[in-house]
Amino acid sequence: MKRVNLIYNHPVFQEKFQALQEAEKDRKFCKHTLEHFMDVARLMYIDALEHDLSISKELIYATALMHDIGRIDQIEQGTPHEQAGAVLCDVILPECGFSAEETEVVKAAILHHRNEPSENLSDKNLCEKDMFDEKKMVCENDHLCEILYRADKKSRNCFACEMKKECNWDEEKMNLKIGN
C-alpha cells in the first residue's frame, strides 16, 4: 500500500483535498471527507473479495482516493468532478509509481463512477459511455467500475440522514436500507 500512501501525501492531492474540506465545511449534505474516501475503499475491497475479483487492494484504494478529489474543481470552476479527477490521475498517479495502464484503468473507473452499471458482475459491456474529451474510453477493468459505483452509493447512510428530504439525489440512488 506504499503507493496509496504516496497518493494521500502527494502535494497536489493534499492541496485539492484541503481546499475541498474548506469548501464543504458548512455543507449540509454528504461531505467528501477522508472518511468517505476510506469507506468507499473498504466497501470496494469487500465487494471484490465477495465476488472473487482479482483486483489488487492497492488499485482499489487508489481508485477510491481519487474518485471524488475533483469535486473542488467542480465547486470552483464547474468542471464535472469525474473529469477533473481523471485529469488529476495523470498528474498524481505516475508520480506515485502507477504505470500508464494502471492510471488508465483508474481514470476509466472514475469517469464512469456516476453511471449505473449492469447489476450482473459477469456482464462485459460496462463503462462504454463516451464522457471525456470526445474520446470513447472503455473501462479496462469493468469490475473496478462496477464496485466503485456501488461502494460510492453504499458509503452514504441516506436511511439515517436528517437531510434526506432536501437531498437532490434520485431516491433510486439513495442508500435507504442497512445492508443494501
Side-chain angles (χ1 to χ4, degrees):
M1 297 283 284
K2 178 182 178 184
R3 297 184 301 169
V4 173
N5 283 290
L6 290 172
I7 293 170
Y8 179 73
N9 290 304
H10 192 281
V12 174
F13 183 90
Q14 279 299 311
E15 175 189 332
K16 296 290 185 177
F17 182 73
Q18 295 306 321
L20 180 58
Q21 299 316 292
E22 180 63 27
E24 291 189 341
K25 71 179 181 190
D26 296 323
R27 181 179 162 105
K28 297 181 207 177
F29 301 100
C30 295
K31 296 179 183 180
H32 297 87
T33 62
L34 184 58
E35 289 77 17
H36 171 64
F37 291 104
M38 297 309 295
D39 285 348
V40 170
R42 292 175 183 125
L43 288 166
M44 287 176 71
Y45 190 62
I46 290 167
D47 201 353
L49 292 174
E50 286 178 346
H51 289 94
D52 200 29
L53 303 176
S54 59
I55 306 170
S56 76
K57 184 176 184 180
E58 200 168 40
L59 198 61
I60 288 170
Y61 274 71
T63 302
L65 277 178
M66 296 299 298
H67 88 282
D68 277 341
I69 199 65
R71 286 276 303 146
I72 189 61
D73 293 324
Q74 185 170 335
I75 292 166
E76 294 178 346
Q77 301 161 13
T79 305
H81 77 276
E82 64 275 11
Q83 290 181 13
V87 170
L88 289 169
C89 284
D90 284 330
V91 173
I92 296 170
L93 296 183
E95 292 182 15
C96 295
F98 288 84
S99 69
E101 181 181 75
E102 289 172 314
T103 299
E104 289 304 312
V105 169
V106 172
K107 283 171 51 177
I110 290 168
L111 284 167
H112 300 287
H113 84 275
R114 297 177 70 195
N115 300 331
E116 185 169 7
S118 166
E119 292 296 318
N120 186 349
L121 272 171
S122 65
D123 185 350
K124 298 296 182 191
N125 296 314
L126 305 176
C127 301
E128 294 182 351
K129 189 173 181 182
D130 181 7
M131 290 187 63
F132 191 63
D133 288 344
E134 305 295 308
K135 295 177 187 171
K136 184 173 185 180
M137 293 188 69
V138 177
C139 184
E140 293 178 39
N141 188 329
D142 295 337
H143 297 322
L144 187 64
C145 292
E146 189 167 352
I147 65 174
L148 174 57
Y149 174 84
R150 282 200 305 265
D152 196 25
K153 303 305 170 242
K154 286 180 180 181
S155 71
R156 301 303 191 176
N157 296 321
C158 304
F159 59 88
C161 181
E162 294 176 10
M163 299 304 299
K164 180 172 48 176
K165 291 181 181 175
E166 295 180 47
C167 185
N168 65 0
W169 262 21
D170 291 334
E171 198 164 305
E172 305 95 50
K173 288 189 176 187
M174 289 185 177
N175 186 19
L176 297 174
K177 297 178 188 172
I178 295 174
N180 246 3

